Amino acid sequence: QVQLVESGGGLVQTGGSLRLSCAASGNTVSINGMGWYRQAPGKQRELVAFISSDDSTNYADSVKGRFTISRDNAKNTVYLQMNSLKPEDTAVYYCNALTVYTGYWGQGTQVTVSS
């Protein structure tokens, strides 16, 4: 089992920045990769960014050049640095951890970008 706890969400104005954190605990040695997803009201959950065990990354086109995913293996934590935020970035952001057998989700953290 893996437990994920997100933090760092909040309210920010257009053009502002936020950094989300996701701390993993439990069977963290089983984690192959971690990512951030988001879900806006009335929309499906979508991938924002993902970082693999070899530190390769991929991003949604909508956030490329603005968001950066990184990880601190010593702290079992993954981060999402979000810059140049736009109102369309408003959503609940969820952390995800993938193992060979399954995936785990955090409880989500709200990000609201005001215009």
Side-chain angles (χ1 to χ4, degrees), residues 4-50:
L4 303 172
V5 178
E6 301 110 332
S7 60
L11 173 65
V12 64
Q13 291 186 334
T14 297
S17 298
L18 284 174
R19 189 177 82 153
L20 305 182
S21 300
C22 174
S25 61
N27 189 18
T28 57
V29 295
S30 67
I31 297 174
N32 290 333
M34 296 184 72
W36 288 96
Y37 289 71
R38 67 186 180 186
Q39 188 166 19
K43 295 188 176 181
Q44 289 188 332
R45 190 172 298 189
E46 63 175 359
L47 174 68
V48 176
F50 190 84

Side-chain angles (χ1 to χ4, degrees), residues 38-41 86-93 110-114:
R38 67 186 180 186
Q39 188 166 19
K86 304 175 182 180
E88 51 263 43
D89 295 317
T90 295
V92 178
Y93 284 68
Q110 176 70 45
V111 171
T112 302
V113 185
S114 64

